[in-house]
Each structure stands twice: as C-alpha cells, then as structure tokens.
Amino acid sequence: MSRVPLIQLEQAAPEIAAQYHAIEKGLGAIPNMFKAVANSNAALKSMWGAFGALGGGKLGAKLGEQIAVAVANRNGCDYCLAAHHFLGKGAGLTDAQLSRAQVGESADAKTAGALAFALKLVHNRGQVSAADVEQLRAAGFSDELIVEIVAHVALNLFTNYINIAFDVPLDFPKIAVQPLS
C-alpha cells in the first residue's frame, strides 16, 4: 500500500485534474506513480513537464527507455523497471534489448557507452570525469545529446525515488531486478 494517498481523478483539485487529462491523453491511462505525485501540484507539473520535454528531445525514445531501465535496475525500483519495460516495448525495443539495458549492456556500442555513462552518473552521484564526457563525444554523441542523457538520468532518479519512498503499487507487469556485475 502506498505511503501517500493515490489521488483519484474524482478527488483531484481542478489543476491536478487538468494534468491528469494530459497524462491520460499521452499515456492512455493515469498510472499510480502520477496519482502519488499528485499530492503536490508542483511536483506533478514538474514530472509531467519533464517527460514531455525529454520526449520531444533528440535522444530518441529507445535510448531514453534503455536509460530508464538501467537506472531503475541500479536503484532497485520495481515500479519504474516495470513501467519502462512496458514503454520500451512500445518504443520498439525487444525483451532481450531491455534485459541487457537493465545491466548497462547493448549489442550497439554507442548505446552501451551511453548506458555505462548513465550508470556511472547514478553510482557516483553525478561525479564523472572530462574523459567520461569525451568518451561519449568520441562515440558520436553531441553535447546536446550528452546533456539529454544527464537529464534522462535525473528524471529517472526523481521517479525512482518517488516510487521507492512511497511504495507505489505496480500497475504494470513486474520485471525482476537483475544483479549488476
């Protein structure tokens, strides 16, 4: 059971209800995570706005979802792992690609580099070196894309922490957390 109320549409203040309609239009439903975040209108606006902004970025849905499952797996966030496996499949990723991404791996070297960088950001709480950034550039990532990778990691930390801290109930099929090597 969630440690904060899950705000239902019928109970929502008008400004929350307006956000819910946008979420439902974008996702086809209002997942429990948003119902927990809706305890704060500012937090809900921030989260949904970040999803929209990054969804319109240049990194692409596939890599964004691979980063999301890697970060969720690293943090042990069952909710985000399940949600982003579901969303990743909708973006065209296979179960195998998503499972590999959970542990920071990919058959594509460029994607593997981005995932390694994302996991290093999480593990080292943002402490990366100039050489780490240069490796991404050498792999073909522009500075714009590198900043988007960091933004995706930050958004996923926000969602992971919400779901872990408040024990938000799953509304997607559960995916097992994989140990990192």
Side-chain angles (χ1 to χ4, degrees), residues 146-170:
I146 294 168
V147 171
E148 280 190 33
I149 290 169
V150 175
H152 274 272
V153 170
L155 174 57
N156 283 285
L157 288 172
F158 178 21
T159 63
N160 287 184
Y161 289 0
I162 287 288
N163 289 300
I164 294 167
F166 299 135
D167 196 22
V168 176
L170 290 176

Side-chain angles (χ1 to χ4, degrees), residues 11-115:
Q11 306 165 308
E15 61 273 7
I16 300 290
Q19 290 290 316
Y20 275 5
H21 291 304
I23 293 166
E24 192 167 32
K25 183 178 180 185
L27 299 177
I30 306 165
N32 285 336
M33 174 183 71
F34 293 104
K35 294 175 184 175
V37 175
N39 282 278
S40 164
N41 186 42
L44 183 62
K45 280 183 181 179
S46 173
M47 184 181 282
W48 184 243
F51 274 112
L54 290 174
K58 296 198 175 140
L59 199 60
K62 286 184 179 182
L63 184 51
E65 294 304 332
Q66 288 170 303
I67 290 169
V69 296
V71 173
N73 191 76
R74 171 65 178 85
N75 287 325
C77 182
D78 290 333
Y79 189 96
C80 291
L81 192 54
H84 289 288
H85 259 264
F86 177 82
L87 293 169
K89 288 170 89 172
L93 293 163
T94 66
D95 284 325
Q97 288 172 310
L98 288 161
S99 292
R100 288 190 75 187
Q102 275 184 248
V103 293
E105 297 175 359
S106 174
D108 175 68
K110 187 174 179 179
T111 299
L115 294 174

